[in-house]
Each structure stands twice: as C-alpha cells, then as structure tokens.
Amino acid sequence: MLSDVTTPQDLDDRFRETLAALPAAERRRDPADPVTDDAPLTGGQVLDLFDAQVTSRQLDLAGRWLRSFGEGFYTIGSAGHEGNAAVAAALRPTDPALLHYRSGAFYCLRAAQAAADPALAPVDPDATRAAADQSPADGRARTVDSERSAPAETVDSEPSTGTQPTVDGAPTRAPGADPRLSESEPSGIEQAPAANGFAAYADAARDVLRGMVASSLEPIAGGRHKVFGRADLAVVPTTSTIASHLPRAVGMGLAVERLRRLDSAGRRTGAGMRVGSGAGATHAPWPPDAIVVCSFGDASVNHASATAAFNTAGWYDHAGLRIPVLFVCEDNGLGISVRSPEGWVEATLRAKPGIRYFSADGADPVRTYEVAAEAAAWVRRNRRPAVLHLRTVRLMGHAGADAESAYRGPAELAQDLDRDPVAATARLLVDAGVATGDELLARYDETGWQVRRLAEEVLGEPKLASAAEVVSALAPRRPVRVARAVADAAARASGPGAGARAEAFGGKPPELVGPMTLAQSINAALADGMLDHPQMALFGEDVAAKGGVYGVTKGLRDRFGAARVFDTLLDETSVLGLGLGAGLAGMLPVPEIQYLAYLHNAEDQLRGEAATMRFFSQGAFRNPMVVRVAGLAYQEGFGGHFHNDNSVAVLRDVPGLVVAVPARPDDAAPMLRTCLASAAVDGSVCVFLEPIALYHSRDLYADGDGEWLAAYPEPGGWVAGHVPIGRARVYPVGSADDLTIITFGNGVRMSLRAAAVLAEEGVGTRVVDLRWLAPLPVSDIIRESSATGRVLVVDETRRSGGVGEGVIAALVDAGYVGAARRVAGVDSFVPLGPAARHVLVSAEAITDGARTLLAR
C-alpha cells in the first residue's frame, strides 16, 4: 500500500511486485545478442546496466537504514535517476566527469568499466604525487586510493601513426588508444564484464558507503564529505549541490582542447601528454581527445552559475573556439519542493546559443544509451558543447528528512513509481528473454545482501579523529620546496633560458630598465612567469589587446601569443571558472578580476569550488591558480565604491586561500614569483591583490623624490630576495624603539610618511608591512609588537570585519600585554570624489593615532 511518502519499504515492495508480475518471454535470448533486434546494446550489456542501477538503488536503501540508527550522515540518493548508468556507458572511462549528487548508477558503471580494463584508467603522475604527500595523523602514507593501484601507462603512451582522422588538423582519437573506443563505437560499456553481478561494483559500493558513514578510509574525501569522486576513474568531486561546478567544466573543456592542440603539434614525451619542459612542465591527466561531462539537476538550470557556464560555452563557440563539454541535465521536475514549470527546462536548454541539444527518457535505457552515445560522439568529433536533457523521476524524496506529503500527493508519487528506471530495465530484460523476473529479483536481493554486508563493515572503520586530520589535506605549505622552485627558476632564467628571456624582453631585460613602478614590476614578473611556466595562461577582461585597464599586462599578448594571453567575456564567475578548470587540467592559470568590487559577483567560485578541491579530494585533485585583482581605495578623481572597494573580509575567512598584497615594486615581483611557485608546487589558490592607487606611484615623501620606485632584480638576485608566504617586511624609521605600526597596501606609504613626521618629533617607529593577509605573518606581528610595547594597527579596510581585527586577535592570543590602538576605515562604502576622505584612513589620522597612543 503506497503511503503519502515514498519510503524505502514502498520502493522495495513495489519493485518486487513489478518483477513478480512480469511474464516470462516465450524464448530465451543469448546475452551476447542485441537485447532487441535493432538495439545497439546486447542483453549482457543491459544486464550490466541493471546491475549498476540495482547497486545504486541498494546503496540508497542502505543510506536510509544507516540513518535510522544514527550511523549514516547522508541520505540524498539517486533513486529515480539510475538511467544515468546508460550515460556512463556511452562515455569513455577516461572522460573527466563532474557528477552531481544523484549520480550513483553512473559512478558504479564507470567503476566497473575501469575495473574491467585497468589500462583505460587515467593516470595523472602529478595528482598521484600530490595525494601521496598527504598523510593521516598515524603516519601512514595515503595514495589516491589505498586499495587500488594505478597502471604505469596511459592510453596515449604510444607514438602517433599519423593515420587517424582529424578535426582542424588534430586527431579525433587518442593515438595508441584502444581501437574499441573509436568514433563508431563511442561506448565504454563493452569494457565492463557482461552480467557479472555485484562483483564488478563492490569497490564503488564500498566507496559510497564509506562516504555515508564519514569513514576516514573513503578514497576521495577521506570522511570530509560524501561525494562522487576518484582520480583513477576520472571522476572529479564536486563540492556544491547546485550549479557552481558548471563554470569549472567549461574551463576544463577549454583547457583539454588547448592541451590537445599542443599535443597534436608534436609535443609528446612519453606517458601522458607533457607540456613544456623543466620544473614548469606538467602532465595532462586525460587523453587529448577526451571530452568533459558535467551533470546537474533541472532546478540548477536557473542558477546564475549555470547561466554563466552555458553563456561562456556558447560565447566561445560563437567566437570559433572549441570547448568539448557534454552537459547532462537530469530533470525530475523538482528542486526539493519547487517545481520546474512544464516545458521550462527544455525551452531553456534549447535556447542556449552555441550548445547542441539532445534529449532522452531516463526510463528507457536503450534509447538513453543511443542518445548519450550520439551526443558524446558529436562533442568528441566536433569539439563543441552539447547538453543532454535526461528526463528522470525522484523516488524517496529529496533526502531522508524530506516530508513529500507537504507538496506531493499519492497519485503523483504513484506515477513516478510507474516510471522507475530500474524496473524499466528489468522489464526490458524479461520481455527480451535475457532473464526472468525471478532471476533479476535474485540479483537484486544478492546485491542488497552484499551492500548491507559492506555497510556493516564500514561502520567499524575509523573516523577523522582530530582537527589536524581534518585540515591535513586543506592547503599544504611546503616553503622549502617553494623556495627551491624559485631558485630553479632563477637558474633557468640566467642559464639555459637566458637567450629566450632576452628575446622576450626585446634584448633589454627588466633589470636593465631602471627603477620601476608597481605596475611595471608586476608586468615584468608576469613575463618572467610566462617564460618559466610554459603551462601558464593569463586571461581576463581587457587584459590582452588593451593590456589591462591600468596597463599592467601591456605587451604580454604580443610576446606570448593569443593562446596564452587572451581576453574573456565580461563575467567574473566565468573568468574564475575557466581558471578552475584549466588548473585541474594541468595548466597554471592566472585570471584577472578587473576590480575588487567585481569579485563579489563570483565569490563562490573561490570559496565553494577553488579552495575546497584539495580538501574534498585529499590532494588527488587540485586547481592551482593565481587570481590577480586590482583593488583597494585611494584612486584620486575616479571611482566611487565600485572602483575603490576596500573590503577583503570575504577573502580572509576562506580556509587555505593565500591573499597577497604587494605595496612596493620591489615586493611585487618576488611575491608574485612565490605565488606562482606555490601554485605549481602545492596547488595553492592565491589571490594577488594589487593596490590600484599605487600602480603608478613614483614618490614617497615629496614630489619628484622617486622613493616609491625600485629596480627589478636580475635572476641572480631572486633567491636572496625571495619572499616566503606569511612573512612581513619591516621598515625602521629613526631609532625604531618607540612605536610599531602594523599595516599593508596603501597604509604602508601613508604610515612611512607619518613615521617621518614622528621622527622629527623624536619618535622612533618600525613600520611593519604585513604583505600577506592570509595567512597573517603572526610571528612577525608578535616579535615587532613586543619590541616596542606600543602597537598602532593601520587598516585601510573597514573597522568591522577588517584586517585589523585579525591583527589584534593575534596579539591577544599570543598574550601581548602592551598598548594597542587601531586606525581603520569607516564602516561605509567609499563615496565619489572628495567625500571619500571622510571614510578612508589618512596619513594625518595615522600621525594623530600614534600621538594618542604614545601619550598613554
């Protein structure tokens, strides 16, 4: 009897009733024959789909069982969406996949594909190395997956024969790839063991169950969250349940195509595709003709991130650039309780310019496979984006706590049960004579028993036992390796790369130019970075042809070409999404956000996507990135708050994010080199916040003194001038014994002016430039503060939520007992024109604050 909520018992009973009522076919069909006379799948292959679907269904039932006695922590399941197993079958196991939370059957089928032929599993040496560096608290080495070992070769390890078909001069199939994976046979299902029952899916089931119970042995997130992900399956964990992973998918597609073109130009050196040379080289983790698949729900179509991703993919397609991405919209008609209006999703997806539309009913496994195979082949052949609109149902509600009776009636629930995709696959197998209802029910029960057995096993596995274990994979800091990378870059620039460097700078390297401004120093450092990191790409709004709004990237496109320095469309979410995907694909992206205020349009790409990748994959995946942001206030005669945004609070509380603020030209270059090295070595996500008002400043104390200019160091001086992450710079003024001023950015210039005035009054000051806002240079703060016992914190951001709060808290936590005072911006947006002076910090306010502090 169907209740007003589809419970696990309802679903199980209804499935059993359906199978019991199926009449046996008049004759048995050989599983090696097509399941129907004109079907592209054999009976055995459909049995494989059935087993993947049943495994996923039993995992959902096990999740509810675990939750019933407080041992399961995740009940969002895939029931009703199991048709996505046929989508997995139509793809190759080396196609990178970003899966949403109802992708259980897809995940199970892909695991079976890879298990059947390990030679097809993708290998990323850099990811394997990064994962091995992550060790739990007990000292055991952790690899990408401790229970599985990756093969030593990738599918494209053999040299190209030059005979394969091409698109735009590039091969459509990975050279040396398994011939079974040709364009005429896009499926990977033939790699799975036909009718092999639960054995082919046991590892996948264990993975999912470990995620449900937060086991620290779970192979991708290690108990931090329940996600679908495994490096050896090319399944990239997505940390959001809504559409924030779609912009990353577009970036991955763009990067895969760029690296494919590099490979087709002959830049192949052994296993995988290796781009560049020296320490800056990287392995591309997927075959050159791979496509990216990204799944999401119908409600996510309405999310701004999805709109950005579709628009960007279509925009680039219209511009003639290729992005091989297959979007898969799994449409069950509901976003928790909010319905998608009838026809809305189809109309929306069909209307996306530059994106080919395909559709299928997830309750029809053969047709779903046919359409998915057609869509995948079209994307692979044309290297262009497409969307597969897969109609599904949702069974057992959104999650365990979802009271469906509040928004769905029994009749609607019964209609969804009639479209149960697992029952539909069973019906196809019985009607075709491949199996009987009793035989399929026996497979269902055997799988259920095996899943329950595994669930009981994982219950006893360890959980993350300390804060140290939780954060161990968050953001590694290996300063010695970073310093070594900078030293290696210097050696290359002055040695084997000296000729190319001289040519890139037109015969006059920057160290011979003379004193530089902040903008000029950043420009030169970016050029040196492009020379040393062949996989580095610089992009954003106006960065190429115009050279940036402030000229900071001027001339870089001419030096390094439009493939490495390019303009993007005007959308910050997409700019960061391109960077996220490019980093994941093996590039070193340096996107620019034109103004700090515009970053707030896309904060989730940093918070929810970039900073979490290592955390939720234990380092198996990473998205190294250096985000350049022009920001902070004090632009004279220009702006208002959009061009004078002085808030960085949203950046400072993102775990693992590095936030750098260079104030002087002689800090900008080494800090940028450090960020690039940290991204390359540790996979760090760095925000390089550049004070706009200091870009072209030349003077410090008086007009014409040139005290804010600095010479660019030659490569031989890079090691001595290296600036580690989290280390401050101290400027002694006078005796430096009376007062410590702690500041950053524009505050450094103003504080040095104030210190000069105080020096004339006999006050010795040490001005501490934090340089790094995350992580704060706490040890330097404590040392320099204790040296004088009087601390003035000069914070050009706001009093509430500003950097100064973090500095004061660090002093309190360290037991500092001296005097302290803050001078900070007013809690206000920055107004236009002279009114800005009323809410921003000034040199006069710093001087007055110092005098008040000294008078205590």
Side-chain angles (χ1 to χ4, degrees):
M1 184 68 176
L2 185 66
S3 67
D4 61 353
V5 176
T6 312
T7 66
Q9 187 65 46
D10 291 329
L11 198 57
D12 182 71
D13 288 346
R14 183 64 170 265
F15 184 74
R16 292 176 180 279
E17 292 170 4
T18 298
L19 263 62
L22 293 176
E26 294 182 0
R27 65 179 182 86
R28 294 298 294 245
R29 183 183 297 263
D30 188 337
D33 292 338
V35 69
T36 61
D37 292 341
D38 59 347
L41 297 175
T42 67
Q45 290 170 335
V46 176
L47 272 174
D48 286 330
L49 292 180
F50 178 77
D51 287 335
Q53 292 177 328
V54 166
T55 302
S56 178
R57 177 64 57 84
Q58 292 289 5
L59 286 169
D60 289 347
L61 298 177
R64 301 300 178 99
W65 173 70
L66 289 164
R67 185 72 184 92
S68 69
F69 55 91
E71 291 291 345
F73 306 101
Y74 197 92
T75 55
I76 296 178
S78 305
H81 284 242
E82 291 93 348
N84 57 37
V87 179
L91 295 161
R92 302 176 185 173
T94 50
D95 290 329
L98 295 90
L99 304 178
H100 82 325
Y101 51 43
R102 300 198 190 279
S103 302
F106 185 113
Y107 184 76
C108 290
L109 197 283
R110 175 158 289 195
Q113 290 174 327
D117 192 345
L120 294 177
V123 177
D124 181 0
D126 291 333
T128 303
R129 170 186 51 75
D133 287 334
Q134 302 301 315
S135 300
D138 62 6
R140 294 171 296 169
R142 188 190 300 280
T143 61
V144 173
D145 186 347
S146 59
E147 296 185 1
R148 289 174 286 270
S149 59
E153 297 181 347
T154 59
V155 298
D156 60 333
S157 60
E158 299 176 15
S160 171
T161 63
T163 60
Q164 54 269 60
T166 63
V167 176
D168 295 333
T172 59
R173 179 168 58 84
D178 191 309
R180 291 172 294 180
L181 301 183
S182 66
E183 283 300 320
S184 61
E185 296 179 278
S187 168
I189 194 171
E190 61 267 33
Q191 310 308 326
N196 198 27
F198 180 74
Y201 306 100
D203 280 348
R206 186 181 290 106
D207 294 345
V208 174
L209 289 166
R210 283 171 165 170
M212 290 178 180
V213 302
S215 165
S216 62
L217 299 183
E218 192 271 331
I220 191 70
R224 292 167 181 84
H225 196 43
K226 189 268 183 186
V227 294
F228 292 116
R230 241 174 64 187
D232 61 328
L233 300 182
V235 177
V236 180
T238 62
T239 59
S240 172
T241 58
I242 308 176
S244 65
H245 59 296
L246 270 65
R248 181 200 294 276
V250 175
M252 289 171 66
L254 189 68
V256 164
E257 183 63 7
R258 177 182 182 272
L259 297 176
R260 181 183 76 91
R261 290 174 181 271
L262 285 174
D263 181 65
S264 68
R267 303 175 191 183
R268 178 187 299 280
T269 56
M273 179 170 49
R274 193 165 178 83
V275 182
S277 60
T282 183
H283 285 280
W286 307 295
D289 68 339
I291 68 172
V292 179
V293 60
C294 178
S295 63
F296 56 98
D298 56 289
S300 294
V301 165
N302 307 297
H303 198 275
S305 296
T307 299
F310 293 136
N311 185 68
T312 301
W315 189 88
Y316 276 114
D317 187 77
H318 189 77
L321 297 178
R322 298 301 181 228
I323 299 183
V325 176
L326 177 60
F327 298 103
V328 180
C329 177
E330 299 186 15
D331 181 4
N332 63 27
L334 289 163
I336 303 184
S337 66
V338 179
R339 300 177 189 274
S340 294
E342 185 67 30
W344 169 252
V345 176
E346 179 177 350
T348 300
L349 295 177
R350 282 187 179 276
K352 300 300 182 185
I355 300 178
R356 180 79 172 263
Y357 177 84
F358 297 85
S359 66
D361 183 353
D364 182 344
V366 172
R367 182 58 181 159
T368 294
Y369 171 81
E370 279 185 314
V371 175
E374 180 187 0
W378 187 88
V379 173
R380 198 180 311 278
R381 181 175 61 253
N382 295 287
R383 317 306 293 170
R384 296 177 65 188
V387 60
L388 170 59
H389 181 195
L390 187 65
R391 292 172 179 83
T392 65
V393 294
R394 191 183 71 190
L395 305 176
M396 293 198 297
H398 174 72
D402 182 23
E404 287 185 286
S405 59
Y407 56 92
R408 304 184 80 191
E412 183 181 350
L413 297 175
Q415 289 176 355
D416 276 3
L417 280 168
D418 288 340
R419 296 188 61 235
D420 181 350
V422 185
T425 304
R427 192 176 294 111
L428 171 64
L429 289 166
V430 173
D431 290 347
V434 176
T436 66
D438 288 343
E439 289 169 345
L440 295 180
L441 184 58
R443 295 172 83 97
Y444 175 80
D445 284 337
E446 173 66 16
T447 297
W449 182 86
Q450 295 286 2
V451 167
R452 183 66 63 91
R453 177 182 61 81
L454 288 176
E456 292 176 354
E457 288 180 8
V458 301
L459 278 175
E461 292 182 349
K463 307 291 193 291
L464 293 168
S466 67
E469 285 192 26
V470 171
V471 302
S472 62
L474 180 61
R477 293 282 180 266
R478 295 179 289 189
V480 174
R481 294 193 188 187
V482 170
R484 187 184 306 136
V486 172
D488 291 343
R492 287 189 292 273
S494 59
R501 185 170 184 265
E503 181 180 355
F505 284 108
K508 191 174 184 179
E511 57 266 25
L512 301 181
V513 170
M516 289 184 168
T517 63
L518 179 71
Q520 292 169 330
S521 182
I522 293 172
N523 179 281
L526 286 171
D528 270 324
M530 296 286 280
L531 288 165
D532 192 60
H533 298 276
Q535 75 276 29
M536 178 175 159
L538 182 66
F539 52 91
E541 300 160 22
D542 302 305
V543 304
K546 184 178 175 65
V549 173
Y550 297 95
V552 180
T553 57
K554 185 177 180 179
L556 295 179
R557 185 184 68 170
D558 294 338
R559 293 180 193 175
F560 299 102
R564 298 187 65 193
V565 182
F566 56 92
D567 291 323
T568 65
L569 72 176
L570 196 154
D571 176 48
E572 287 73 27
T573 294
S574 295
V575 171
L576 293 180
L578 292 175
L580 288 169
L584 200 60
M587 295 173 63
L588 180 55
V590 183
E592 177 186 297
I593 301 297
Q594 200 165 86
Y595 290 101
L596 178 59
Y598 301 164
L599 176 66
H600 305 311
N601 302 327
E603 289 162 0
D604 187 50
Q605 291 297 299
L606 285 179
R607 177 186 301 274
E609 292 293 317
T612 57
M613 179 51 69
R614 291 193 65 100
F615 185 72
F616 287 123
S617 71
Q618 302 182 95
F621 293 102
R622 61 185 197 168
N623 38 224
M625 186 163 62
V626 179
V627 184
R628 294 181 48 251
V629 184
L632 301 177
Y634 299 97
Q635 289 193 80
E636 292 294 333
F638 181 61
H641 77 283
F642 273 115
H643 302 97
N644 284 285
D645 190 357
N646 64 337
S647 175
V648 298
V650 73
L651 295 173
R652 289 195 60 250
D653 77 337
V654 178
L657 194 70
V658 174
V659 181
V661 182
R664 287 183 53 87
D666 47 346
D667 275 336
M671 289 174 68
L672 183 54
R673 273 192 290 273
T674 296
C675 287
L676 292 172
S678 182
V681 170
D682 291 329
S684 302
V685 179
C686 305
V687 174
F688 198 74
L689 182 57
E690 302 164 7
I692 297 172
L694 299 178
Y695 268 150
H696 306 298
S697 295
R698 306 177 67 86
D699 307 320
L700 174 57
Y701 300 114
D703 290 345
D705 67 14
E707 291 288 332
W708 207 253
L709 301 174
Y712 190 88
E714 62 180 357
W718 292 0
V719 173
H722 173 57
V723 178
I725 291 175
R727 291 303 307 271
R729 178 175 180 175
V730 181
Y731 298 86
V733 181
S735 66
D737 293 334
D738 302 312
L739 174 68
T740 300
I741 299 178
I742 298 177
T743 188
F744 63 96
N746 294 287
V748 178
R749 190 163 177 253
M750 291 186 291
S751 295
L752 287 171
R753 289 177 171 178
V757 173
L758 293 170
E760 294 177 356
E761 300 172 6
V763 176
T765 305
R766 54 186 68 199
V767 176
V768 179
D769 178 3
L770 294 170
R771 298 195 292 196
W772 306 93
L773 304 188
L776 282 172
V778 174
S779 60
D780 296 330
I781 290 171
I782 303 306
R783 183 188 65 250
E784 299 303 323
S785 299
S786 300
T788 64
R790 297 185 185 90
V791 177
L792 181 67
V793 179
V794 176
D795 182 3
E796 65 174 291
T797 62
R798 301 168 192 169
R799 179 166 291 273
S800 298
V803 177
E805 289 182 343
V807 174
I808 295 296
L811 290 169
V812 172
D813 289 346
Y816 172 75
V817 294
R821 184 178 177 84
R822 274 196 300 162
V823 176
V826 174
D827 289 344
S828 169
F829 299 109
V830 180
L832 191 65
R837 299 169 189 163
H838 299 303
V839 298
L840 296 176
V841 174
S842 66
E844 293 76 15
I846 297 171
T847 305
D848 291 343
R851 289 171 179 150
T852 301
L853 183 62
L854 291 164
R856 288 184 178 178

